[in-house]
Every structure is written in C-alpha cells, then in structure tokens.
C-alpha cells in the first residue's frame, strides 16, 4: 500500500479521469487503492476500503466461488473479463447487492504483484434488458392475438416488428460501442502503468544512489544521478502532456496561435535536441539555405511535428545510418519530409499507424505510447494540413507533412 501512497498523485490523476470504478488488490486480495467512482458505487468514504479484504465487496454466497476463481486466475494471469458467462454481483456498504461487470489487468510494481479491476455498474443495462424482454414477450402475444382476431392489421404488426428489430439493433450497437470503449480504457490504463513503471524505477534508483554519495569529491556521481532524475521526470511530463493533448483534440479545445517566426530557428532547435538522442554513427542532414526564411504558422505545432518524426526516425533506425530532413517551401504551403533507413512499417500494420495507442508488431520492444503520430495527425488536420508516408520493412520510411502557410491575418 505504501507504493500507491507514494505515487497517489499519479494514481489519482489517471484513475479519476475515467468514469468507471478502479480497484487495485495485492496478491493477498487486500485492497490497496480505489478511485472515487468505486467508493461511490459501493457506498464508502475516501480511503475507507483501503486495507480491507476484497470479500467486503462480495455477497457472502459468492465468497467460496471467488476463492476458487482467484486460485485459478493466478495459475494463468492475463488481462480478461472476470467470470465470463456468469452474472456477478457486488455488495454495497448497506448490504444491497447489484450486478456488475469486471475487467482484470494484472501488473507488477517494484517486485510486488497486483491486479487492477475496472468495475462497471450494469444495473441500468440489466434493467434495459428486462424491459426489452418484457417488450418482446408482450409484442409476441399481441401478434398472435391480432393475427387470429384481425387479419387486416397484419401490415401494422409488421411495421411494429420492424421498429422492434431496429430498436434492438440500436441497443446492441450501443452496448457493443460501450464494450469497445471499456476495452480501450483498459488498454489505456495498462499502457500508462507500463510506461510509468520504467521512469519511476529510474527515479527511485537514482534518488537512492544520490543519498549514498555524500563526499565532496563524489559531486560528479551525484550530478549524474540528478541528471537521470530530471530526464525521467521530463519523460513522465511528456507522457502526461500527450495524454492531455489527446483529450483536448477529442473535445475540440485545442487553441492555435499563429505568429511570424524564423524557420531556421525552429529547425536548429529541433535538430539540436534530436542530436542528443542519436545512436553511434547516426547523422541528421537538413537544408542549409533557410536562414532568412520567415513563415507564419503555429510555431509550437511545427516544432512538435518535426520533433516527433525525427525522434521516431532515430528510435527505429540502427547505428551508422543517415536521417534526412528535407524542406520544400511554396507560395502557400510548406512541405517537410523525414527520411530514415530504419526498420520500416510492416505492410499489414500501415493502415493502423495513425490510430490511438497502436504500435506496429516490429516496434513493440521499443518504449513508446503509440499516440505521437495520432496527436500530430489531429493537429495537422485542424490546421488544414496533412501527413502521409511510404514505408518498406527493413528498408526505411519517409514521412511527408504538408502544412498551409497562414496569411498576415492569421487565417
């Protein structure tokens, strides 16, 4: 539980961003963390559940089954829905039972094993299913009765049947979309858990080592670990910024600011920062005749787009390779191309490459969230720009960005 206390701000930020209940238990089935939705769902105050056995949230009649299920689950730990095909019930503090769905996601943190549950109260869903069942039963009786008594109402009954089928189809589609959204949220939480674990471990290790170097002549070692801590904190901040950027894009709240700025200034800044990530023998080439070029656009977005593409080219290319940044300046638009000699994108994955959280199968061993290209594509579309690519596996990729240049009025 102390692990979650130490990282409560991060856990709260992530868990409170979703509408479903989140509950984390350790290997002994002791509750170590909950979000406000879980507390509200089961009728408990903040932190009241922490340290309690998970049995407190289960009807007594479910305890024995749950013990067997837990034992079986730990033999084959994986992400899945709990007790698929069975009806599950939770127990509120006032002893009221209610139906629910649970998605399980095992993970490890600092050597300890945990299971994170995504909990959904399906009371309303069950009520809708009951209403549909009653509607179907009543409608069938109505059909039989009217077929015998009034054959001239057949046309009207067929119309009612059509409306019923349409309603059922809409409800099924809504339920399917709801399940897909839940799967996406589970994937999001799993991704964040994985991406945060590595920098947090680095920060913890470096912070511990800094405390051991107390002598004046060990300042160089202290500086090294402090630099690591700062770098990992920046990495965490970048991840959080990306996730917040996705929400702003989705809700249409992103605000763009058009200014006149030096193209060479932005290019030099992006390349300078990218050079720090280069592997042995890697080199970036870019046009040298852009010193006097002034363009009008959102400088922050141009920097973000080029940084993302160059960092990807470096990450997915091997040592001793060339990364080429080309620029074509037209009257009303500017075209950036980033060409690498990296691992490329498998053909079957190319149609998904701009999807949120998607990562090509040959890139899963590299760190990353799978949202960078999704974010810059959203920004470019908002700015009436576009991004495209040509890629061949094991040969390299070329990403091309076309961005219109705003006029003096900023339009």
């Amino acid at each position: 539980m102390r692990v979650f206390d130490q990282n409560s701000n991060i856990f709260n930020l992530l868990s409170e961003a979703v509408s479903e209940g989140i509950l984390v238990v350790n290997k002994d089935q002791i509750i170590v963390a909950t979000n406000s939705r879980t507390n509200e769902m089961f009728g408990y105050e903040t932190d009241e559940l922490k340290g309690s056995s998970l049995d407190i949230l289960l009807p007594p009649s479910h305890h024995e089954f749950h013990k067997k299920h837990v034992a079986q689950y730990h033999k084959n730990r994986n992400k899945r829905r709990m007790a698929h095909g069975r009806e599950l019930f939770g127990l509120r503090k006032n002893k009221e039972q209610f139906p629910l769905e649970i998605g399980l996601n095992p993970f490890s943190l600092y050597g300890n094993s945990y299971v994170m549950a995504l909990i959904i109260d399906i009371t309303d869903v069950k009520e809708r299913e009951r209403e549909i069942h009653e509607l179907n039963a009543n409608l069938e009786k109505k059909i039989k009765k009217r077929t015998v008594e009034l054959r001239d109402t057949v046309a009207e009954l067929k119309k009612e049947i059509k409306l019923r089928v349409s309603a059922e189809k809409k409800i099924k589609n809504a339920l399917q979309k709801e399940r897909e959204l839940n799967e996406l949220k589970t994937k999001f939480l799993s991704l964040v858990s994985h991406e945060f674990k590595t920098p947090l471990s680095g920060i913890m290790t470096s912070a511990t080592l800094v405390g051991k170097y107390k002598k004046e002549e060990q300042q160089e070692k202290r500086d090294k670990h402090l630099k690591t801590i700062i770098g990992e904190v920046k990495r965490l901040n970048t991840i959080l910024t990306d996730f917040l950027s996705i929400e702003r894009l989705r809700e249409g709240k992103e605000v763009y600011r058009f200014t006149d700025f030096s193209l060479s200034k932005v290019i030099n800044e992006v390349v300078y920062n990218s050079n720090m990530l280069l592997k042995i023998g890697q080199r970036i080439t870019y046009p040298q005749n852009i010193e006097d070029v002034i363009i009008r656009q959102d400088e922050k977005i141009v920097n973000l787009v080029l940084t993302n593409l160059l960092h990807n080219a470096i990450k997915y290319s091997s040592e001793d390779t060339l990364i080429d940044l080309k620029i074509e300046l037209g009257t009303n638009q500017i075209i950036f191309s980033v060409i690498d000699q990296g691992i490329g994108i498998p053909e079957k994955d190319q149609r998904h490459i701009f999807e949120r959280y998607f990562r090509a199968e040959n890139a899963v061993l590299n760190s990353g969230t799978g949202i960078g290209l999704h974010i810059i594509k959203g920004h470019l579309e908002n700015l009436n720009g576009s991004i495209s690519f040509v890629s061949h596996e094991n040969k390299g990729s070329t990403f091309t960005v076309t961005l219109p240049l705003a006029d003096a009025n900023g339009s």
Side-chain angles (χ1 to χ4, degrees), residues 123-188:
T123 301
D124 292 339
V125 174
K126 290 295 183 181
E127 180 61 20
R128 289 200 298 270
E129 291 178 350
R130 184 190 66 78
E131 291 175 356
I132 292 173
H133 179 75
E134 290 182 357
L135 175 64
N136 289 341
N138 293 333
L139 189 54
E140 291 298 334
K141 291 179 181 179
K142 190 175 181 180
I143 291 174
K144 291 179 181 179
K145 180 179 178 180
R146 291 191 178 183
T147 301
V148 174
E149 297 178 349
L150 302 170
R151 294 188 179 276
D152 58 348
T153 61
V154 172
E156 182 179 347
L157 290 174
K158 287 182 177 179
K159 182 179 179 180
E160 290 189 39
I161 293 173
K162 184 178 180 180
L163 291 174
R164 183 196 70 179
V165 172
S166 176
E168 289 181 348
K169 184 177 180 181
K170 290 180 179 178
I171 292 175
K172 288 179 180 179
N173 289 339
L175 291 174
Q176 179 61 30
K177 289 181 179 179
E178 185 176 348
R179 290 191 179 95
E180 290 175 354
L181 179 60
N182 290 335
E183 291 175 1
L184 185 63
K185 289 179 178 178
T186 298
K187 185 176 181 181
F188 163 78

Coordinates of all heavy atoms in Angstrom, one line a residue, residues 123-188:
T123 N -26.4 -2.1 -13.5 CA -27.8 -2.1 -13.1 C -28.8 -1.6 -14.2 O -29.8 -2.2 -14.5 CB -28.0 -1.3 -11.8 OG1 -27.2 -1.8 -10.8 CG2 -29.5 -1.3 -11.3
D124 N -28.4 -0.4 -14.8 CA -29.2 0.1 -15.9 C -29.3 -0.8 -17.1 O -30.3 -0.9 -17.7 CB -28.7 1.5 -16.3 CG -28.8 2.5 -15.1 OD1 -29.7 2.3 -14.3 OD2 -28.1 3.5 -15.2
V125 N -28.1 -1.4 -17.4 CA -28.1 -2.3 -18.6 C -29.1 -3.5 -18.3 O -29.8 -3.9 -19.2 CB -26.7 -2.9 -18.8 CG1 -26.7 -3.9 -19.9 CG2 -25.8 -1.7 -19.2
K126 N -29.0 -4.1 -17.1 CA -29.9 -5.2 -16.8 C -31.4 -4.8 -16.8 O -32.3 -5.5 -17.3 CB -29.6 -5.7 -15.4 CG -28.3 -6.5 -15.3 CD -28.3 -7.7 -16.1 CE -27.0 -8.5 -16.0 NZ -27.0 -9.7 -16.9
E127 N -31.6 -3.5 -16.4 CA -33.0 -3.0 -16.4 C -33.5 -2.9 -17.9 O -34.6 -3.2 -18.2 CB -33.1 -1.7 -15.7 CG -34.5 -1.0 -15.7 CD -35.5 -1.9 -15.0 OE1 -35.1 -2.8 -14.2 OE2 -36.7 -1.7 -15.2
R128 N -32.6 -2.4 -18.7 CA -32.9 -2.3 -20.1 C -33.2 -3.6 -20.8 O -34.1 -3.8 -21.6 CB -31.8 -1.5 -20.9 CG -31.7 0.0 -20.6 CD -31.0 0.7 -21.7 NE -29.6 0.3 -21.8 CZ -28.6 0.8 -21.1 NH1 -28.8 1.7 -20.3 NH2 -27.3 0.3 -21.3
E129 N -32.3 -4.6 -20.4 CA -32.5 -6.0 -20.9 C -33.9 -6.5 -20.5 O -34.6 -7.2 -21.2 CB -31.4 -6.9 -20.5 CG -30.1 -6.5 -21.1 CD -28.9 -7.4 -20.6 OE1 -29.2 -8.2 -19.6 OE2 -27.9 -7.4 -21.2
R130 N -34.2 -6.3 -19.2 CA -35.5 -6.7 -18.7 C -36.7 -6.1 -19.4 O -37.7 -6.7 -19.8 CB -35.7 -6.4 -17.2 CG -36.9 -7.0 -16.5 CD -37.1 -6.4 -15.2 NE -37.3 -5.0 -15.2 CZ -38.5 -4.4 -15.5 NH1 -39.5 -5.1 -15.8 NH2 -38.6 -3.1 -15.5
E131 N -36.5 -4.8 -19.7 CA -37.6 -4.1 -20.4 C -37.7 -4.6 -21.8 O -38.8 -4.7 -22.4 CB -37.3 -2.6 -20.4 CG -37.4 -1.9 -19.1 CD -36.9 -0.4 -19.1 OE1 -36.5 0.0 -20.2 OE2 -37.1 0.3 -18.1
I132 N -36.6 -4.9 -22.5 CA -36.6 -5.4 -23.8 C -37.3 -6.8 -23.8 O -38.1 -7.1 -24.7 CB -35.2 -5.6 -24.4 CG1 -34.6 -4.2 -24.6 CG2 -35.2 -6.3 -25.7 CD1 -33.1 -4.2 -25.0
H133 N -36.9 -7.6 -22.8 CA -37.5 -8.9 -22.7 C -39.1 -8.8 -22.6 O -39.8 -9.6 -23.2 CB -36.9 -9.7 -21.5 CG -37.5 -11.1 -21.3 ND1 -37.2 -12.1 -22.1 CD2 -38.4 -11.5 -20.4 CE1 -37.9 -13.2 -21.7 NE2 -38.6 -12.9 -20.7
E134 N -39.5 -7.9 -21.7 CA -40.9 -7.7 -21.5 C -41.6 -7.2 -22.8 O -42.7 -7.6 -23.1 CB -41.2 -6.8 -20.3 CG -40.8 -7.3 -19.0 CD -41.1 -6.3 -17.8 OE1 -41.5 -5.2 -18.2 OE2 -40.9 -6.7 -16.7
L135 N -40.9 -6.3 -23.4 CA -41.4 -5.8 -24.7 C -41.6 -6.9 -25.7 O -42.6 -6.9 -26.4 CB -40.5 -4.7 -25.2 CG -40.8 -4.1 -26.6 CD1 -42.2 -3.4 -26.5 CD2 -39.7 -3.2 -27.1
N136 N -40.6 -7.7 -25.8 CA -40.7 -8.9 -26.8 C -41.8 -9.8 -26.5 O -42.6 -10.2 -27.3 CB -39.4 -9.6 -26.8 CG -38.3 -8.8 -27.5 OD1 -38.5 -7.9 -28.2 ND2 -37.0 -9.2 -27.2
A137 N -41.9 -10.1 -25.1 CA -43.0 -11.1 -24.7 C -44.4 -10.5 -25.0 O -45.2 -11.2 -25.5 CB -42.8 -11.4 -23.2
N138 N -44.5 -9.2 -24.7 CA -45.9 -8.6 -24.9 C -46.2 -8.5 -26.4 O -47.3 -8.6 -26.8 CB -45.9 -7.2 -24.2 CG -45.8 -7.3 -22.7 OD1 -46.3 -8.3 -22.1 ND2 -45.3 -6.3 -22.0
L139 N -45.1 -8.2 -27.1 CA -45.3 -8.0 -28.6 C -45.7 -9.3 -29.2 O -46.6 -9.3 -30.1 CB -44.1 -7.4 -29.2 CG -44.2 -6.9 -30.6 CD1 -45.3 -5.9 -30.8 CD2 -42.9 -6.4 -31.1
E140 N -45.1 -10.4 -28.8 CA -45.4 -11.7 -29.4 C -46.9 -12.1 -29.1 O -47.6 -12.6 -29.9 CB -44.5 -12.8 -28.8 CG -43.0 -12.6 -29.3 CD -42.9 -12.8 -30.8 OE1 -43.7 -13.4 -31.4 OE2 -41.9 -12.2 -31.4
K141 N -47.3 -11.8 -27.8 CA -48.7 -12.1 -27.5 C -49.7 -11.3 -28.4 O -50.7 -11.7 -28.8 CB -49.0 -11.8 -26.0 CG -48.2 -12.8 -25.1 CD -48.5 -12.4 -23.6 CE -47.8 -13.3 -22.7 NZ -48.0 -12.9 -21.3
K142 N -49.2 -10.0 -28.5 CA -50.1 -9.1 -29.3 C -50.2 -9.6 -30.8 O -51.3 -9.5 -31.4 CB -49.4 -7.7 -29.2 CG -50.3 -6.6 -29.8 CD -49.6 -5.2 -29.6 CE -50.5 -4.1 -30.1 NZ -49.8 -2.8 -29.9
I143 N -49.1 -10.1 -31.3 CA -49.1 -10.6 -32.7 C -50.0 -11.7 -32.9 O -50.8 -11.8 -33.8 CB -47.6 -10.9 -33.1 CG1 -46.8 -9.7 -33.2 CG2 -47.6 -11.7 -34.4 CD1 -45.3 -10.0 -33.5
K144 N -49.9 -12.7 -31.9 CA -50.8 -13.9 -32.0 C -52.2 -13.5 -31.9 O -53.1 -14.1 -32.6 CB -50.4 -14.9 -30.9 CG -49.0 -15.5 -31.1 CD -48.7 -16.4 -29.9 CE -47.3 -17.0 -30.1 NZ -46.9 -18.0 -29.0
K145 N -52.5 -12.7 -30.9 CA -53.9 -12.3 -30.7 C -54.5 -11.6 -32.0 O -55.6 -11.9 -32.4 CB -54.0 -11.4 -29.5 CG -55.5 -10.9 -29.2 CD -55.5 -10.1 -27.9 CE -56.9 -9.6 -27.6 NZ -56.9 -8.7 -26.4
R146 N -53.8 -10.6 -32.5 CA -54.3 -9.9 -33.6 C -54.3 -10.7 -34.9 O -55.1 -10.4 -35.8 CB -53.4 -8.6 -33.8 CG -53.6 -7.6 -32.7 CD -53.0 -6.3 -33.0 NE -53.2 -5.3 -31.9 CZ -52.8 -4.0 -32.0 NH1 -52.2 -3.6 -33.1 NH2 -53.0 -3.2 -31.0
T147 N -53.4 -11.6 -35.0 CA -53.4 -12.5 -36.2 C -54.7 -13.3 -36.3 O -55.3 -13.4 -37.4 CB -52.2 -13.4 -36.2 OG1 -51.0 -12.7 -36.2 CG2 -52.2 -14.3 -37.5
V148 N -55.2 -13.8 -35.2 CA -56.4 -14.5 -35.1 C -57.6 -13.6 -35.3 O -58.6 -13.9 -36.0 CB -56.5 -15.3 -33.8 CG1 -57.9 -16.0 -33.6 CG2 -55.4 -16.3 -33.7
E149 N -57.7 -12.5 -34.6 CA -58.8 -11.6 -34.5 C -58.9 -10.7 -35.7 O -60.0 -10.4 -36.2 CB -58.8 -10.9 -33.2 CG -58.9 -11.7 -31.9 CD -58.9 -10.9 -30.7 OE1 -58.6 -9.7 -30.7 OE2 -59.1 -11.5 -29.6
L150 N -57.9 -10.1 -36.1 CA -57.9 -9.0 -37.1 C -56.8 -9.2 -38.1 O -55.7 -8.7 -38.0 CB -57.8 -7.7 -36.4 CG -58.8 -7.3 -35.3 CD1 -58.4 -6.0 -34.6 CD2 -60.2 -7.1 -35.9
R151 N -57.2 -9.9 -39.2 CA -56.1 -10.2 -40.2 C -55.8 -8.9 -41.0 O -54.7 -8.8 -41.6 CB -56.7 -11.2 -41.2 CG -56.8 -12.6 -40.5 CD -57.2 -13.7 -41.5 NE -57.3 -15.0 -40.9 CZ -56.3 -15.8 -40.6 NH1 -55.1 -15.4 -40.9 NH2 -56.6 -16.9 -40.0
D152 N -56.6 -7.9 -40.9 CA -56.4 -6.7 -41.6 C -55.3 -5.8 -40.9 O -55.0 -4.8 -41.4 CB -57.6 -5.9 -41.9 CG -58.3 -5.6 -40.6 OD1 -57.9 -6.2 -39.5 OD2 -59.3 -4.8 -40.6
T153 N -54.9 -6.3 -39.7 CA -53.9 -5.5 -39.0 C -52.5 -6.0 -39.2 O -51.5 -5.6 -38.6 CB -54.2 -5.4 -37.5 OG1 -54.1 -6.7 -37.0 CG2 -55.5 -4.8 -37.3
V154 N -52.3 -7.0 -40.1 CA -51.0 -7.6 -40.3 C -50.0 -6.6 -40.8 O -48.8 -6.6 -40.3 CB -51.1 -8.7 -41.4 CG1 -49.7 -9.3 -41.8 CG2 -52.0 -9.9 -40.9
A155 N -50.4 -5.7 -41.6 CA -49.4 -4.7 -42.1 C -48.9 -3.8 -41.0 O -47.7 -3.5 -40.9 CB -50.1 -3.8 -43.2
E156 N -49.8 -3.5 -40.0 CA -49.4 -2.6 -38.9 C -48.5 -3.4 -38.0 O -47.5 -2.8 -37.4 CB -50.6 -2.2 -38.2 CG -50.3 -1.3 -37.0 CD -51.6 -0.8 -36.3 OE1 -52.7 -1.0 -36.8 OE2 -51.4 -0.3 -35.1
L157 N -48.8 -4.7 -37.8 CA -47.9 -5.5 -36.9 C -46.5 -5.7 -37.5 O -45.5 -5.6 -36.8 CB -48.6 -6.9 -36.7 CG -49.8 -6.9 -35.8 CD1 -50.4 -8.3 -35.8 CD2 -49.5 -6.5 -34.4
K158 N -46.5 -5.8 -38.8 CA -45.1 -6.0 -39.5 C -44.3 -4.7 -39.2 O -43.1 -4.7 -39.0 CB -45.3 -6.2 -41.0 CG -45.8 -7.6 -41.3 CD -45.9 -7.8 -42.8 CE -46.3 -9.2 -43.1 NZ -46.4 -9.5 -44.6
K159 N -45.0 -3.6 -39.2 CA -44.3 -2.3 -39.0 C -43.8 -2.2 -37.6 O -42.7 -1.8 -37.3 CB -45.3 -1.1 -39.3 CG -44.7 0.2 -39.1 CD -45.7 1.3 -39.4 CE -45.1 2.7 -39.2 NZ -46.1 3.8 -39.4
E160 N -44.6 -2.7 -36.6 CA -44.2 -2.7 -35.2 C -43.0 -3.7 -35.1 O -42.0 -3.4 -34.3 CB -45.3 -3.2 -34.3 CG -46.4 -2.2 -34.2 CD -47.4 -2.6 -33.1 OE1 -47.0 -3.1 -32.1 OE2 -48.6 -2.4 -33.3
I161 N -43.0 -4.8 -35.7 CA -41.9 -5.7 -35.7 C -40.6 -5.1 -36.2 O -39.5 -5.2 -35.6 CB -42.2 -7.0 -36.5 CG1 -43.3 -7.8 -35.8 CG2 -40.9 -7.9 -36.6 CD1 -43.8 -9.0 -36.6
K162 N -40.7 -4.4 -37.3 CA -39.6 -3.7 -37.9 C -39.0 -2.7 -36.9 O -37.8 -2.6 -36.8 CB -40.0 -3.0 -39.2 CG -38.9 -2.4 -39.9 CD -39.4 -1.8 -41.3 CE -38.2 -1.1 -42.0 NZ -38.7 -0.6 -43.3
L163 N -39.9 -1.9 -36.2 CA -39.5 -1.0 -35.3 C -38.8 -1.6 -34.1 O -37.8 -1.1 -33.6 CB -40.6 -0.1 -34.8 CG -41.3 0.8 -35.8 CD1 -42.5 1.5 -35.2 CD2 -40.3 1.9 -36.2
R164 N -39.3 -2.8 -33.7 CA -38.7 -3.5 -32.6 C -37.3 -4.0 -32.9 O -36.3 -3.8 -32.1 CB -39.5 -4.7 -32.2 CG -39.0 -5.5 -31.0 CD -39.7 -6.9 -30.9 NE -39.2 -7.7 -32.0 CZ -39.6 -9.0 -32.1 NH1 -40.5 -9.5 -31.3 NH2 -39.1 -9.7 -33.1
V165 N -37.1 -4.6 -34.1 CA -35.8 -5.0 -34.6 C -34.8 -3.9 -34.7 O -33.7 -4.0 -34.3 CB -36.0 -5.7 -36.0 CG1 -34.6 -6.0 -36.5 CG2 -36.8 -7.0 -35.8
S166 N -35.3 -2.7 -35.2 CA -34.5 -1.6 -35.3 C -34.0 -1.1 -33.9 O -32.9 -0.7 -33.7 CB -35.2 -0.4 -36.0 OG -34.4 0.7 -36.0
A167 N -35.0 -1.1 -32.9 CA -34.6 -0.7 -31.6 C -33.6 -1.6 -30.9 O -32.6 -1.2 -30.3 CB -35.9 -0.6 -30.7
E168 N -33.8 -2.9 -31.1 CA -32.9 -3.9 -30.6 C -31.5 -3.8 -31.2 O -30.5 -3.9 -30.5 CB -33.4 -5.3 -30.8 CG -34.6 -5.7 -30.0 CD -35.1 -7.1 -30.3 OE1 -34.6 -7.7 -31.3 OE2 -35.9 -7.6 -29.5
K169 N -31.5 -3.5 -32.5 CA -30.2 -3.3 -33.2 C -29.5 -2.1 -32.7 O -28.3 -2.1 -32.5 CB -30.4 -3.2 -34.7 CG -29.2 -3.1 -35.5 CD -29.5 -3.0 -37.0 CE -28.2 -2.9 -37.8 NZ -28.5 -2.8 -39.3
K170 N -30.2 -1.0 -32.4 CA -29.6 0.2 -31.9 C -29.0 -0.1 -30.5 O -27.9 0.4 -30.2 CB -30.6 1.3 -31.8 CG -31.0 1.9 -33.2 CD -32.0 3.0 -33.1 CE -32.4 3.6 -34.5 NZ -33.4 4.6 -34.4
I171 N -29.8 -0.8 -29.7 CA -29.3 -1.1 -28.3 C -28.1 -2.0 -28.4 O -27.1 -1.8 -27.6 CB -30.4 -1.8 -27.5 CG1 -31.6 -0.7 -27.3 CG2 -29.9 -2.3 -26.2 CD1 -32.8 -1.3 -26.6
K172 N -28.1 -3.0 -29.2 CA -26.9 -3.9 -29.4 C -25.7 -3.1 -29.8 O -24.6 -3.3 -29.4 CB -27.2 -5.0 -30.3 CG -28.2 -6.1 -29.8 CD -28.5 -7.2 -30.8 CE -29.5 -8.2 -30.2 NZ -29.8 -9.2 -31.2
N173 N -25.9 -2.2 -30.8 CA -24.8 -1.4 -31.3 C -24.3 -0.5 -30.2 O -23.0 -0.3 -30.0 CB -25.2 -0.5 -32.5 CG -25.5 -1.4 -33.7 OD1 -25.0 -2.5 -33.8 ND2 -26.3 -0.8 -34.6
A174 N -25.2 0.0 -29.4 CA -24.8 0.9 -28.2 C -24.0 0.1 -27.2 O -22.9 0.6 -26.7 CB -26.0 1.6 -27.6
L175 N -24.4 -1.1 -26.9 CA -23.7 -2.0 -26.0 C -22.4 -2.4 -26.5 O -21.4 -2.5 -25.8 CB -24.6 -3.2 -25.6 CG -25.9 -3.0 -24.9 CD1 -26.7 -4.2 -24.7 CD2 -25.5 -2.4 -23.5
Q176 N -22.3 -2.7 -27.8 CA -21.0 -3.0 -28.4 C -20.0 -1.9 -28.3 O -18.8 -2.1 -28.0 CB -21.2 -3.5 -29.9 CG -20.0 -3.9 -30.6 CD -19.3 -5.0 -30.0 OE1 -19.9 -5.9 -29.4 NE2 -18.0 -5.1 -30.1
K177 N -20.5 -0.7 -28.6 CA -19.6 0.5 -28.5 C -19.2 0.7 -27.1 O -18.0 1.1 -26.9 CB -20.4 1.7 -29.1 CG -20.6 1.7 -30.6 CD -21.3 3.0 -31.1 CE -21.5 3.0 -32.6 NZ -22.2 4.2 -33.0
E178 N -20.1 0.5 -26.2 CA -19.7 0.6 -24.8 C -18.6 -0.4 -24.4 O -17.7 0.0 -23.7 CB -21.0 0.4 -23.9 CG -20.7 0.7 -22.4 CD -22.0 0.6 -21.6 OE1 -23.1 0.5 -22.2 OE2 -21.9 0.5 -20.4
R179 N -18.7 -1.6 -24.8 CA -17.7 -2.6 -24.5 C -16.4 -2.2 -25.2 O -15.3 -2.4 -24.6 CB -18.2 -4.0 -25.0 CG -19.3 -4.6 -24.2 CD -19.6 -6.0 -24.6 NE -20.6 -6.6 -23.8 CZ -21.9 -6.7 -24.2 NH1 -22.2 -6.2 -25.4 NH2 -22.8 -7.2 -23.4
E180 N -16.4 -1.7 -26.4 CA -15.2 -1.3 -27.1 C -14.5 -0.2 -26.4 O -13.3 -0.2 -26.3 CB -15.5 -0.9 -28.6 CG -15.9 -2.1 -29.4 CD -16.4 -1.7 -30.8 OE1 -16.5 -0.4 -31.0 OE2 -16.7 -2.5 -31.7
L181 N -15.4 0.7 -25.8 CA -14.8 1.9 -25.1 C -14.2 1.4 -23.8 O -13.1 1.8 -23.4 CB -15.9 2.9 -24.8 CG -15.5 4.1 -23.9 CD1 -14.4 4.9 -24.7 CD2 -16.7 5.0 -23.6
N182 N -14.8 0.4 -23.2 CA -14.2 -0.2 -21.9 C -12.9 -0.9 -22.2 O -11.9 -0.8 -21.4 CB -15.2 -1.2 -21.3 CG -16.4 -0.5 -20.7 OD1 -16.3 0.7 -20.4 ND2 -17.5 -1.2 -20.6
E183 N -12.8 -1.6 -23.3 CA -11.6 -2.2 -23.7 C -10.5 -1.2 -24.0 O -9.3 -1.4 -23.6 CB -11.8 -3.1 -24.9 CG -12.7 -4.4 -24.7 CD -13.0 -5.1 -25.9 OE1 -12.5 -4.7 -27.0 OE2 -13.7 -6.2 -25.8
L184 N -10.9 -0.1 -24.6 CA -9.9 1.0 -24.9 C -9.4 1.6 -23.6 O -8.2 1.9 -23.5 CB -10.6 2.0 -25.8 CG -9.6 3.2 -26.3 CD1 -8.5 2.6 -27.2 CD2 -10.5 4.2 -27.0
K185 N -10.3 1.8 -22.7 CA -9.9 2.4 -21.4 C -9.0 1.4 -20.6 O -8.0 1.8 -20.0 CB -11.1 2.7 -20.5 CG -11.9 3.9 -21.1 CD -13.1 4.2 -20.2 CE -13.8 5.4 -20.8 NZ -15.1 5.7 -20.0
T186 N -9.3 0.1 -20.7 CA -8.4 -0.9 -20.0 C -7.0 -0.9 -20.7 O -6.0 -1.0 -20.0 CB -9.0 -2.3 -20.2 OG1 -10.3 -2.3 -19.5 CG2 -8.1 -3.4 -19.5
K187 N -7.0 -0.8 -22.0 CA -5.7 -0.8 -22.7 C -5.0 0.5 -22.3 O -3.7 0.5 -22.1 CB -6.0 -0.8 -24.2 CG -4.7 -0.9 -25.1 CD -5.1 -1.0 -26.5 CE -3.8 -1.1 -27.4 NZ -4.1 -1.2 -28.8
F188 N -5.7 1.6 -22.2 CA -5.1 2.9 -21.8 C -4.4 2.7 -20.4 O -3.3 3.1 -20.2 CB -6.1 4.0 -21.8 CG -5.7 5.2 -21.0 CD1 -4.9 6.1 -21.6 CD2 -6.2 5.4 -19.7 CE1 -4.5 7.3 -20.9 CE2 -5.9 6.6 -19.0 CZ -5.0 7.5 -19.6

